[in-house]
Amino acid sequence: MTLLDGKKTSEAIQNEIAAEVAAIKARGGKVPHLAAILVGNDGGSVTYVNNKVLACERVGFGSSLFHYDESISEEELLLKIKELNLDADIDGFIVQLPLPKHIDPEKVLEAVDPQKDVDGFHPINVGRMVAGLPAYLPATPAGILQLLERYQIETSGKHCVVLGRSNIVGSPMSILMAKNTYPGNCTVTLCHSRTKDLPYYTRQADIIIAAIGKPEFVTADMVKEGAVVIDVGTTRVPDASRKSGFRLRGDVKFEEVAPKCSYITPVPGGVGPLTIAMLLKNTLSAAKKEVYA
Ligand code: GUN
């Protein structure tokens, strides 16, 4: 069994980005700038956004964080997005999800200029991804592709079972794994909360990508010997022995599943760090105007 080291892979990608930024600076070019909008104080979201800002500093990007109270109106938020769309110094920006209930996330995501949508959540980028046109790919699925690629894992002709159909991970992942590319060329099954006899599918899987947010959902009896298992879950469960009061739990029961796998991602230190690296990669692409040339 080989552990897929997301932390090490993310550091390698960030070093590559930092080298490019240094070269851009040396020739007097425009330094990439990522902005993030955060609404409210959800613990997970605050941590993720802070980590994104810190990562920007590490690779030499400019960064801005706009943190609003949960009471911000939808109108006010849409105005801020319009402002960022027009700000020539900001190459890309994200609106951290989830948003409070009184704000319609679809309206918000559609307000972002697709050319600055480094999360790849705007319907134009989603459509371009499905059509195989240049697009910003959502960071978590793109990070998983990087892991498969950098560990040179064979995917062609394999059966990939994706658990979860979210717009952020499951749906785009299922589309990307079926594409005629590497990594890709899989036969893909997308399982979700209404799937009947889900273990029937996972037991046939050469590659399992679990993104349902249910701690330890995938158990050893659901996994074929030699499978590749990618765990996207990061549920916070109470843990009094930790200073933070919680620890992260994946969607996979690691201790019993790992011995059966050819490759598996740990939680934490698997997919999570890749998500940040790919957001930075998208921002660099935005600054270089690579996607919408
Ligand atoms: N919430 C969970 N994952 C993500 C992500 O990749 N981007 C944003 N903006 N919000 C998220």
Side-chain angles (χ1 to χ4, degrees):
M1 183 271 292
T2 302
L3 209 55
L4 296 169
D5 189 337
K7 195 161 173 277
K8 200 178 82 189
T9 309
S10 175
E11 279 165 11
I13 295 168
Q14 291 188 46
N15 288 341
E16 291 161 20
I17 295 170
E20 263 208 59
V21 175
I24 291 170
K25 283 183 178 168
R27 61 172 183 265
K30 157 95 180 56
V31 174
H33 186 161
L34 174 72
I37 297 178
L38 172 62
V39 180
N41 287 299
D42 171 77
S45 291
V46 172
T47 306
Y48 292 140
V49 170
N50 285 336
N51 286 340
K52 288 170 186 177
V53 170
L54 284 174
C56 282
E57 288 167 11
R58 265 201 311 274
V59 298
F61 286 4
S63 67
S64 306
L65 171 58
F66 302 99
H67 192 173
Y68 295 100
D69 191 84
E70 202 169 62
S71 63
I72 188 175
S73 69
E74 186 179 273
E75 203 182 352
E76 229 180 311
L77 186 58
L78 291 172
L79 273 176
K80 184 65 193 177
I81 289 170
K82 278 190 185 147
E83 186 191 309
L84 297 182
N85 283 342
L86 295 172
D87 186 333
D89 189 52
I90 290 176
D91 300 291
F93 66 98
I94 63 155
V95 182
Q96 186 65 27
L97 302 175
L99 290 164
K101 278 199 218 20
H102 66 278
I103 298 175
D104 177 358
E106 284 169 12
K107 231 173 167 174
V108 167
L109 297 180
E110 274 203 83
V112 176
D113 178 346
Q115 301 197 30
K116 294 192 175 189
D117 169 39
V118 286
D119 254 337
F121 293 167
H122 191 288
I124 289 199
N125 279 313
V126 178
R128 289 177 66 97
M129 174 198 68
V130 174
L133 296 169
Y136 296 114
L137 299 185
T140 302
I144 292 168
L145 295 182
Q146 282 283 321
L147 260 187
L148 294 170
E149 189 178 340
R150 290 185 186 232
Y151 280 84
Q152 298 180 312
I153 294 171
E154 183 60 72
T155 59
S156 181
K158 304 289 184 190
H159 184 193
C160 176
V161 173
V162 178
L163 306 182
R165 56 182 157 185
S166 73
N167 288 342
I168 296 180
V169 187
S171 288
M173 198 72 245
S174 69
I175 287 160
L176 293 165
M177 291 303 283
K179 285 213 168 290
N180 182 11
T181 49
Y182 174 74
N185 275 315
C186 286
T187 302
V188 177
T189 302
L190 180 57
C191 296
H192 47 73
S193 54
R194 304 292 173 93
T195 298
K196 289 200 175 95
D197 195 5
L198 186 142
Y200 167 81
Y201 298 100
T202 57
R203 279 198 287 267
Q204 297 173 37
D206 302 303
I207 302 170
I208 297 176
I209 301 176
I212 45 173
K214 286 190 184 167
E216 305 191 324
F217 179 86
V218 178
T219 47
D221 57 307
M222 294 166 68
V223 178
K224 184 169 80 175
E225 200 69 45
V228 177
V229 174
I230 309 286
D231 188 348
V232 186
T234 51
T235 307
R236 288 181 166 197
V237 298
D239 183 344
S241 72
R242 302 276 174 112
K243 206 166 70 185
S244 62
F246 68 87
R247 64 179 160 147
L248 293 181
R249 270 290 153 107
D251 287 349
V252 177
K253 203 161 189 176
F254 185 89
E255 298 77 12
E256 64 174 55
V257 171
K260 295 185 84 173
C261 296
S262 55
Y263 296 89
I264 186 167
T265 59
V267 174
V271 173
L274 263 306
T275 299
I276 289 185
M278 298 318 286
L279 175 66
L280 298 176
K281 220 166 158 50
N282 280 348
T283 305
L284 181 61
S285 294
K288 291 161 74 183
K289 311 246 182 283
E290 280 178 342
V291 174
Y292 292 88

